[in-house]
Amino acid sequence: MQLMVAGRFAFLIFSSASAAFAEETAATKPQPLTLVKAARLVDTAAGVVRDNQAVLIEDEKVKAIGPAADISKGIPPETRVIDLGDATIVPGLIDCHTHITSQPKNYYEDIFRRSPIDYAVTAHVYARRTLEAGFTTVRDVGAGEFIDIALRNAVNAGTVPGPRILCAGLALGSTGGHADLNGFSPYLSFREVSPSVADGVDAIRKAVRTNIKYGADWIKILASAGVLSEEESVGAPQYTPEEMKAAVDEAALWGRKVAAHAHGAEAIKMAIRAGVASIEHGSLIDDEGIRLMKERGTWLVADIYNDDYIIAEYSRLGYPEKIIEKERLVGRLQRENFRKAAKAGVKIAYGTDAGVYPHGWNGKQLGKMVEWGLTPMQAIQAATVSAADLIGWKAKVGQLTTGYFADLVAVSGDLVADVTVLEKPEFVMKGGAIYKNALTADAVVKPE
Ligand code: ARG
């Protein structure tokens, strides 16, 4: 990359499939000092919007933040200044429930005509879309054959543009459960190098160890039946309390936490009692479950946008009617129960299940959360400080504070009046490098 390159051009480089790797590296390389200023900045830790703020960035971290007039004082003359004008800056968003390696195209074709290698070669496309949607960190909760781990490593190495990824590797479930392939002839079997199915305490402990051996940051268990799989029920427990506890205890030995997929009230309570860190979906949670979550400080990660997409699109994608029927059973109740849990004071972290619906649409759930009981600021906090707390990165991401990663998103609309403006951020920076900039022409990436 020569001399100066407009920020907008830096974005084009990432959008272009033919971008040379050498260019990508030069464009993403953080510069020594950058000052980003804007008319407003959301202080997610305090829950307030501050006027005329600036963030001073050194390499990939925030060096200082505060009123633009103060921060601009005494900065070296060669500092790159990016004035975002009337825009509002938000810390990079965090999605605690993605499946970033895949996206359904057709039910039977996905099963019979796609292999893990097909998923592996396309995963980077979804990683870039997620990043460009302003999600600079995700917790990915399950992928086949450790594709998520390979993707995370490629992003960390700077080979592929994408969000910071914490991954779970194989999501663990029981025979006949949500992790298994159901509804087919018993004579049909798939060759899996790394099976997700683990039954019984010993097999579960071993599966947790295997995941960690190959690089998992988190452990995901399927505590209950699911929607998008062919077992009959939705929400019935699919692991015993002993099995769930084994997963949590084994994960803890290795310094890992457990996220539990759980739609049904009983499975939710079993998983909370077993000590999981978060309940995923939480669709049919009852009052006792809400009380237990508050008591134990368990997080709720409820994918409440999903229902709209599944009902609108999944018949077209060839999903069997019995699956659509299951969605009809949980869709509305999940939203009502989300409102109830939030009102009761259950800790809420943002998680969308992106991958069930298109990657890059991760921000659409913010508006749903406001529709179902959160204030816009609470929705933004769920996707920043709260999500950071759940994933164990509250001292790294989720707010813009000295020493934190310079992960910034900016939008030109008034996001506190209408949080949906965050669905399409106009500026995205991760670790001091600009990945998208439709706001200014003067943001420059200086030469080495
Ligand atoms: N992965 C989840 C499952 O199959 C998706 C649930 C989507 N539905 C919903 N209402 N959140 O169970």
Side-chain angles (χ1 to χ4, degrees):
M1 190 131 302
Q2 310 285 312
L3 294 170
M4 294 167 84
V5 178
R8 201 182 294 252
F9 182 45
F11 169 50
L12 286 175
I13 287 170
F14 293 113
S15 305
S16 148
S18 63
F21 170 66
E23 282 181 308
E24 260 185 25
T25 311
T28 51
K29 183 99 182 125
Q31 301 302 302
L33 272 188
T34 303
L35 184 89
V36 184
K37 54 182 181 178
R40 280 166 299 275
L41 181 145
V42 182
D43 178 340
T44 48
V48 295
V49 180
R50 303 192 191 280
D51 290 338
N52 300 318
Q53 298 290 297
V55 189
L56 186 63
I57 297 154
E58 185 171 41
D59 297 327
E60 46 174 17
K61 300 275 177 66
V62 175
K63 188 177 167 68
I65 176 165
D70 299 348
I71 301 294
S72 310
K73 250 185 243 152
I75 54 167
E78 68 275 16
T79 302
R80 170 173 69 152
V81 176
I82 302 170
D83 187 349
L84 299 177
D86 201 36
T88 304
I89 297 174
V90 186
L93 301 169
I94 304 168
D95 191 332
C96 299
H97 190 126
T98 65
H99 298 282
I100 201 165
T101 55
S102 65
Q103 197 168 294
K105 292 192 170 60
N106 175 277
Y107 185 70
Y108 293 104
E109 286 200 12
D110 290 345
I111 293 171
F112 293 113
R113 299 195 195 282
R114 295 207 168 87
S115 79
I117 297 172
D118 291 306
Y119 290 107
V121 297
T122 47
H124 69 101
V125 174
Y126 305 134
R128 196 189 64 207
R129 280 181 200 163
T130 305
L131 179 60
E132 286 174 3
F135 284 78
T136 50
T137 302
V138 303
R139 183 185 63 167
D140 202 71
V141 286
E145 304 294 354
F146 305 111
I147 296 168
D148 52 342
I149 288 163
L151 182 67
R152 176 200 67 193
N153 294 347
V155 170
N156 287 349
T159 314
V160 164
R164 306 176 193 288
I165 304 174
L166 285 163
C167 25
L170 310 164
L172 307 180
S174 60
T175 293
H178 190 49
D180 206 353
L181 189 59
N182 302 307
F184 294 99
S185 158
Y187 290 88
L188 189 67
S189 68
F190 283 83
R191 197 149 38 95
E192 268 180 313
V193 177
S194 318
S196 251
V197 170
D199 295 307
V201 164
D202 291 344
I204 288 169
R205 284 190 182 269
K206 179 159 187 181
V208 168
R209 290 173 188 173
T210 304
N211 264 322
I212 294 169
K213 171 179 171 177
Y214 292 118
D217 306 293
W218 270 79
I219 297 300
K220 165 88 174 292
I221 60 166
L222 302 165
S224 87
V227 173
L228 303 174
S229 47
E230 288 199 41
E231 70 269 32
E232 297 299 325
S233 60
V234 52
Q238 290 188 336
Y239 269 148
T240 63
E242 293 71 31
E243 289 174 310
M244 295 187 202
K245 188 148 187 335
V248 172
D249 288 349
E250 189 61 39
L253 286 182
W254 301 82
R256 305 297 197 281
K257 289 185 174 170
V258 176
H261 157 111
H263 286 286
E266 284 318 308
I268 290 170
K269 287 184 275 195
M270 283 158 65
I272 301 167
R273 290 195 171 104
V276 302
S278 60
I279 293 294
E280 310 298 305
H281 312 297
S283 310
L284 309 175
I285 192 168
D286 62 11
D287 291 342
E288 195 188 1
I290 289 176
R291 188 178 55 70
L292 278 174
M293 287 189 87
K294 285 192 65 181
E295 217 172 271
R296 309 267 178 130
T298 316
W299 291 88
L300 177 63
V301 180
D303 54 330
I304 62 170
Y305 173 78
N306 246 343
D307 180 59
D308 284 8
Y309 190 83
I310 294 170
I311 294 298
E313 302 294 340
Y314 269 52
S315 295
R316 185 180 59 81
L317 298 178
Y319 275 65
E321 178 56 24
K322 72 182 196 190
I323 285 183
I324 315 284
E325 195 47 49
K326 287 204 279 181
E327 182 56 41
R328 288 192 198 102
L329 286 174
V330 298
R332 182 164 182 101
L333 283 172
Q334 183 189 29
R335 292 170 177 185
E336 287 170 359
N337 289 330
F338 168 81
R339 181 163 55 195
K340 215 165 143 186
K343 202 163 161 221
V346 169
K347 296 197 292 184
I348 307 285
Y350 194 82
T352 63
D353 216 353
V356 162
Y357 74 99
H359 294 288
W361 291 20
N362 308 61
K364 281 186 180 278
Q365 191 178 283
L366 290 161
K368 277 286 168 210
M369 287 172 126
V370 172
E371 202 180 314
W372 291 89
L374 300 194
T375 64
M377 184 59 80
Q378 285 172 334
I380 293 166
Q381 287 176 315
T384 51
V385 266
S386 300
D389 193 357
L390 166 59
I391 64 175
W393 277 10
K394 68 175 178 189
K396 290 185 187 183
V397 296
Q399 54 184 291
L400 294 166
T401 302
T402 304
Y404 281 61
F405 281 116
D407 296 349
L408 279 71
V409 166
V411 287
S412 51
D414 179 355
L415 63 88
V416 174
D418 177 13
V419 83
T420 64
V421 298
L422 265 176
E423 289 174 14
K424 288 195 172 70
E426 290 141 293
F427 177 90
V428 178
M429 173 185 270
K430 181 192 147 208
I434 298 171
Y435 287 86
K436 184 176 186 180
N437 182 12
L439 284 176
T440 71
D442 64 334
V444 291
V445 177
K446 286 187 177 172
E448 292 301 286

